[in-house]
Amino acid sequence: ETGVTQTPRHLVMGMTNKKSLKCEQHLGHNAMYWYKQSAKKPLELMFVYNFKEQTENNSVPSRFSPECPNSSHLFLHLHTLQPEDSALYLCASSQGREETQYFGPGTRLLVL
Amino acid sequence: KNEVEQSPQNLTAQEGEFITINCSYSVGISALHWLQQHPGGGIVSLFMLSSGKKKHGRLIATINIQEKHSSLHITASHPRDSAVYICAVKPGAQKLVFGQGTRLTINP
């Protein structure tokens, strides 16, 4: 247990569905991150939030929409995804942007 | 060419063997991380290094800033060490850059 939880752990969705991934951290951290891990590719940083404000968006398509209502919760809203978006989506948090990141278990997403 | 290269990509060894995983990078960095990812996806941060050497239990991580190289060693390896080990570097204030990972399998 790292103190970062993600739900759901597995998700199958069609290309026309709308779904949301949830991340919650119980560590009192101020920074939260969404990463994408596709098969045979390195981890890719998608979004960074620091004190609830989005500080990085690494050219992520608009069909992925993050939301950070408070420092403990982070959502990734999914809409009109493509099969190539199938991947493991990992959430992480850290005390500050320069500190060690703690990862959640990930949500394995399959888009049909 | 990736900014972070790990070797080997896959490593299989017998229980008890001494394991070394290497990471080379091509940019100036402020820190280097070693992460462990178990089957199922969960990632655990093992070490964050900016110089020298760190030890935690059977795990040892070293970094040579001049040579832009880091190694992760596992002594007395055990099947529960089987995982993917990922090296990540932080070029200054920029985002973490991740290596492809090394898949380690320890057979009993």
Side-chain angles (χ1 to χ4, degrees), chain B residues 8-84:
Chain B
Q9 289 189 19
N10 293 282
L11 177 58
T12 300
Q14 290 300 120
E15 184 173 355
E17 286 189 39
F18 181 81
I19 302 300
T20 295
I21 299 171
N22 297 299
C23 175
S24 295
Y25 52 93
S26 57
V27 295
I29 65 169
S30 58
L32 181 144
H33 299 254
W34 280 104
L35 308 169
Q36 180 191 56
Q37 185 173 27
H38 279 284
I43 293 181
V44 175
S45 176
L46 299 174
F47 296 103
M48 183 169 69
L49 293 163
S50 54
S51 65
K53 175 179 170 178
K54 285 191 176 179
K55 184 176 190 295
H56 182 71
R58 295 180 294 105
L59 300 176
I60 303 165
T62 63
I63 187 169
N64 185 318
I65 297 292
Q66 286 72 32
E67 294 187 4
K68 293 186 167 62
H69 181 269
S70 175
S71 293
L72 177 68
H73 305 285
I74 305 175
T75 61
S77 59
H78 190 276
R80 64 175 175 267
D81 296 326
S82 298
V84 175

Side-chain angles (χ1 to χ4, degrees), chain A residues 51-64:
Chain A
F51 291 97
K52 301 187 300 177
E53 298 298 320
Q54 187 180 125
T55 57
E56 284 186 50
N57 174 341
N58 288 292
S59 304
V60 181
S62 59
R63 58 186 185 269
F64 294 91

Side-chain angles (χ1 to χ4, degrees), chain A residues 2 9 35 37 40-43 45 56 58 88 90 97-101 103-105 108, chain B residues 2 30 33 35 37 40-45 48 86 90 92-96 98-100:
Chain A
T2 61
R9 294 293 307 276
Y35 288 91
Q37 188 178 39
K40 301 188 189 305
K41 291 176 69 176
L43 275 164
L45 180 64
E56 284 186 50
N58 288 292
L88 180 68
L90 289 153
R97 283 287 283 121
E98 303 300 314
E99 304 294 325
T100 298
Q101 294 180 27
F103 285 79
R108 192 163 295 281
Chain B
N2 293 334
S30 58
H33 299 254
L35 308 169
Q37 185 173 27
I43 293 181
V44 175
S45 176
M48 183 169 69
I86 301 170
K90 191 160 173 55
Q94 299 177 44
K95 63 181 181 180
L96 279 173
F98 293 84
Q100 291 265 23

Side-chain angles (χ1 to χ4, degrees), chain A residues 69-81:
Chain A
N70 55 62
S71 290
S72 299
H73 293 87
L74 185 64
F75 294 89
L76 187 63
H77 303 299
L78 314 173
H79 176 51
T80 324
L81 294 193

